[in-house]
Amino acid sequence: MDLRGILIILILGFAFTAQATHNRSGEITYRQTGPLTIEATITTYTKASSNGADRDTLELNWGDDTSTLVGRSNGNGEVLPGLDIKVNYYTASHTYSGRATYTMWFIDPNRVDNILNLNFPNSVEIKFYIETTFTLFDDQFNGLNNSAVLLQPPIDFACANQPFKHNPNAYDPDGDSLAYELVVPLMGRDTLVPNYELPDQIGIGPNNILTLNEITGDLLWDAPVVSGEYNIAIKIKEYRNGTLINSIIRDMQILVSVCENNPPRIEAVDEICVLAGERIVIPLTVNDPDEDQLVQLTATGAIFEIDGIQVDWNENPVFRPTEFQDSLIWNTRCLDIREQPYQVVFRAQDNGLSSSQGLTDLKTIRIYVTGPPPLDLDTEVDNEGILLSWESPYVCDVPADDYFRGFSVWRKIGTNPFPIDTCEAGLDNRGYEIQAYLVQDQMDGRFFYKDTDIETGVVYCYRVLANFSLKTTAATPQFFNFSRSLTSEEICATANRNVPLLTAADVRATDTSNGEIFVSWLKPIPEQLDTIENPGPYRYQLERSQDNSIYTPIPAANFTSQFFAEDIDTSFLDIDLNTVAGSYFYRVAFYADSQLIGNSPTSESPFLEITSSDMKNTLSWDVASSWQNYEFEIYRLNDESMIFELHAETRENEYVDKDLENGEEYCYFLRTVGTYNLPATPEFIINNSQELCGTPLDTVPPCIPELLLTNACDDFLNNPEDWELINFLNWNDVTIPCAESADLAGYRVYYSINPEDDFELIAEIQGTETTNYNHSPEMGSIACYYVTSFDFAGNESNPSETLCISNCPQYELPNTFTPNGDGANDVFFPRKNRFINTVSFKLFNEWGNLVFETTDPQINWDGMDLGGRPVDEGVYYYTCNLFEITSDGDMNERSSISGFIQVIR
């Protein structure tokens, strides 16, 4: 057992009522009471039994080089029943000299002792520090900026080996968005506490994992292993219009005890989306596996804090037997509209630890209250543009609320008939561009907007949003924290539709020379053509192009009528085409009395392309149509019935047909479904592509192996007599991480001495079970390797990471030398030499004079000095630099040794 485990056993009995010391947890919050004035509150949870460390006054540093001694505002503090915990509040006001971003902070000399994950076992020596950073805006333009309000206390209880849940449950009074982040606790400005670990690193294991949901603030620790006291720090970040404006660092404590108890469970939805004015009913079911216990259900959230919100909920809950049902009811108002969700945290607590304490379960529910959509959109087209109008009054235009700001008008060329989701306000990423903002103009009892920036023949589609916001208190108020309603339904119109509209470019036959495409169109609208000003005869000429640039009239597709209302063919079957090679573009030129009025918008026949690979065909297309294609149907040929059957539907421009048989042919065609979403046009415009076949082939190699390379150096150092010169290559089983390796045939091993040289194949291992190889290279252990995998189709993966390994040299010199001519020990040479290729050996006498030197790794000194004279008996000092050949062929100084040699004659 390690030291920590021994200390934990010695220190923990575990009782929260032990010893003195002080701070457990806390945070600083504030509310803005004037343009440059805030009221700040330090909240601390301390050890109630530490009377000598109790603080009736704290120093709050305001972040502008000033500080204030703040007295406790809740008397002597509030001791929680049955616990060694006291809650303290310290509140003070401060006026700043100007608008800026400030960091206010508080520091105290001591934390509580024996926090397991913070400088254990001497956490009492670590200072307790918390801070809040905030921005004072020009309130005339940006409004006030209050801190987030944290509704759950910064201290909580858990049982070992049971999941633990916590949520700070913060909300922002100004409607700013919040995010959560786990950070390291602090002991001073920009100073992290020492020896800190996340709680799940104590008793580390696969069933001990702590996570934080950065959006909801849900903290899940599943599950604590070691009982004791833990601290974490959560940064609550506040954003306005995407910009970080505030942050609170909450230092909180989790008390884990050993207990035989199971937490209760709450069953409820995760998210609810409603339109303002609707009634919300949230049913909840609570149960506890320990049937002899009682459970209390409470709830916290912004909806209980904001004035005027009408919530039906029991504010004074009692402990009840399990299992039971409850519900929260909320009659929403237009004033409740906001894009950020309301978050309600339900907390079920049993009484398994004491009459009032036990394990808990949390359920976080996010509630979106969205503005109702504008209704009954209509368009009128005249020579000046498109007049868009919609219903008045708007249901959330409530003067008493002073929250509705007007409408925004959005436009897109071509329709986008997406399904409307009650949870999604606005028109983000839908392709619409804003045309007008805060529109409130009315005419004939309807809201309206006139679009005059239009072109003839273009299909313009509109949607309208209602906009809401808070506002500043300036004489000329400014708006901030906008919210958008649900989008209206889409309505489309064309300006001066005095030209035809195509409605089909449908491939009817697939062939290289006898292909066919059916083309159809709609006649212009007579009211917009003005047939008096543009009298007949009227002629429709269908034109074709293969590049959407040069259009050629189709001789047989020329239709004429003397009068506009006269029946005339508005379709044509274009034949003798190569519908295999590519698509065709069409347009209709419209003439009145031989004068060209204009061309219809162009449309392209659908063209399907296929890329085949291992067990799949990837189908892709890109259709340029004057209408909007919003759905694509994939038809595949049934080999038995020889009929094309609907195989898949998608809204994307690509579909991957998977799990196919390699070598078998699969045939398809594409059907596009679209619309103009215009009056007097087809509700559905359907066109087919050519037929196209693809044969899956295995062109995808298996996954790349992950190589691990070691050698036998440790064995050599421990057992040099039986040592073998071997490099050990090991890699993972590539069939486990990816499906592409399902047809794995084996592995190939490549080798080189120098990573810059060409590698040679030294082994091909057949089969999937062997994932290792041993190799004895040419130069000791020096070698570089990579490994590939290959499949039965011959596809070879990219190389693994190239790994190189060096020798494990050993060099040892004796300390006694007897050059006396008796044939024994007359030459000085190394006792051990492994992989040392050259040396720089120098020998000195007791006066420091050089008597011998060599670069020969075998030394081979016969006892003579540099002048050829025998050296005297005595002690000589040497230095020896050792060199080995590296994998790139260079000499590398491995190390240096030195020592003494006793010469005995």
Side-chain angles (χ1 to χ4, degrees), residues 29 31 39-43 60 62 68-74 88-93:
T29 56
R31 64 186 186 93
E39 181 186 80
T41 298
I42 303 174
T43 301
L60 175 57
W62 296 103
T68 300
L69 291 175
V70 184
R72 186 159 46 199
S73 56
N74 63 331
N88 312 277
Y89 301 109
Y90 307 82
T91 301
S93 293

Side-chain angles (χ1 to χ4, degrees), residues 123-364:
S123 58
V124 67
E125 301 173 357
I126 305 304
K127 295 178 180 179
F128 179 80
Y129 173 92
I130 50 178
E131 69 178 33
T132 291
T133 300
F134 64 98
T135 302
L136 287 178
F137 295 121
D138 185 340
D139 64 307
Q140 302 295 306
F141 295 94
N142 302 103
L144 299 178
N145 178 20
N146 298 282
S147 78
V149 178
L150 282 60
L151 299 175
Q152 289 286 353
I155 196 162
D156 215 338
F157 304 89
C159 273
N161 303 310
Q162 292 287 353
F164 166 75
K165 295 180 182 179
H166 177 83
N167 192 312
N169 199 12
Y171 88 93
D172 186 78
D174 307 318
D176 297 321
S177 60
L178 301 176
Y180 301 82
E181 178 187 2
L182 279 174
V183 297
V184 177
L186 299 173
M187 58 182 293
R189 289 292 305 271
D190 302 320
T191 306
L192 306 179
V193 298
N195 303 316
Y196 176 78
E197 297 176 290
L198 285 171
D200 60 1
Q201 299 304 299
I202 309 301
I204 189 169
N207 298 318
N208 181 6
I209 299 174
L210 184 144
T211 58
L212 175 69
N213 187 311
E214 296 180 355
I215 298 174
T216 66
D218 282 337
L219 179 81
L220 175 61
W221 185 5
D222 189 8
V225 174
V226 180
S227 63
E229 304 186 20
Y230 298 82
N231 271 71
I232 62 172
I234 301 176
K235 177 184 279 190
I236 296 95
K237 298 176 288 187
E238 181 180 335
Y239 294 85
R240 182 173 296 181
N241 299 326
T243 300
L244 180 65
I245 59 173
N246 287 4
S247 67
I248 299 171
I249 293 183
R250 161 181 269 198
D251 198 315
M252 76 163 286
Q253 188 166 61
I254 304 171
L255 307 178
V256 180
S257 60
V258 176
C259 47
E260 294 183 1
N261 189 16
N262 295 295
R265 290 287 181 265
I266 304 174
E267 296 179 10
V269 298
D270 296 322
E271 186 174 278
I272 294 176
C273 306
V274 298
L275 297 180
E278 294 180 346
R279 188 171 190 253
I280 298 174
V281 178
I282 303 176
L284 303 108
T285 299
V286 179
N287 60 70
D288 194 317
D290 302 313
E291 297 180 357
D292 59 330
Q293 297 177 5
L294 302 177
V295 177
Q296 180 190 58
L297 181 63
T298 58
T300 56
I303 64 173
F304 303 105
E305 308 295 326
I306 299 174
D307 291 339
I309 289 185
Q310 303 168 21
V311 178
D312 184 3
W313 176 255
N314 182 10
E315 297 287 351
N316 298 297
V318 297
F319 281 89
R320 290 182 274 178
T322 61
E323 150 182 354
F324 63 84
Q325 284 78 37
D326 210 333
S327 61
L328 180 145
I329 300 174
W330 177 10
N331 295 305
T332 62
R333 312 162 298 166
C334 291
L335 199 56
D336 301 330
I337 295 168
R338 69 178 193 181
E339 289 196 28
Q340 299 302 319
Y342 294 88
Q343 183 163 290
V344 179
V345 176
F346 293 93
R347 187 173 189 263
Q349 176 186 302
D350 65 27
N351 61 347
L353 300 182
S354 69
S355 60
S356 60
Q357 292 295 326
L359 292 185
T360 63
D361 184 34
L362 299 184
K363 180 63 180 183
T364 301

